[in-house]
Amino acid sequence: MNYPYTSIFPNGIDKRTFFCDVDINTKVYLDKYNELLEHGKYSDAAMFLAQSPIHSYSAGILNFIEAKTKTLQDYVFVQEKYNPYHASDTEPDIEIGEIWI
């Protein structure tokens, strides 16, 4: 099963509601999920949870976190590295916090 949520990083912060963050608006999803579990319908409960706005720490979310980490790694590796040190025989034009060697 694919995780139905795509990340908006690095353009914004992802909004997710986990079990610990359930509020009055998402309580109906949690109640239905618990009802399915009580009746032993574990596959139905998993499918219902995957299609609801509530997220749990399942294989799907762990795969999503792994993919997001890979995307973050690729994003960071292409950024220009900051080097505060300037080796020069003449005085360079440097900013505060930079060092002339």
Side-chain angles (χ1 to χ4, degrees), residues 30-83:
L30 185 60
D31 292 343
K32 177 66 175 174
Y33 173 74
N34 287 328
E35 179 184 330
L36 289 169
L37 288 180
E38 288 173 7
H39 289 95
K41 299 179 179 179
Y42 303 110
S43 295
D44 292 343
M47 292 298 289
F48 176 76
L49 192 63
Q51 297 170 356
S52 76
I54 299 174
H55 304 282
S56 66
Y57 295 101
S58 62
I61 190 69
L62 296 176
N63 289 337
F64 169 73
I65 291 170
E66 180 181 12
K68 187 172 179 175
T69 302
K70 173 75 169 87
T71 303
L72 175 60
Q73 177 181 341
D74 294 342
Y75 176 79
V76 169
F77 283 155
V78 298
Q79 300 301 309
E80 184 177 329
K81 308 289 188 278
Y82 172 69
N83 183 4

Side-chain angles (χ1 to χ4, degrees), residues 85-94 99-101:
Y85 302 101
H86 298 275
S88 174
D89 291 334
T90 60
E91 185 175 353
D93 183 26
I94 61 174
I99 301 167
W100 173 32
I101 301 174

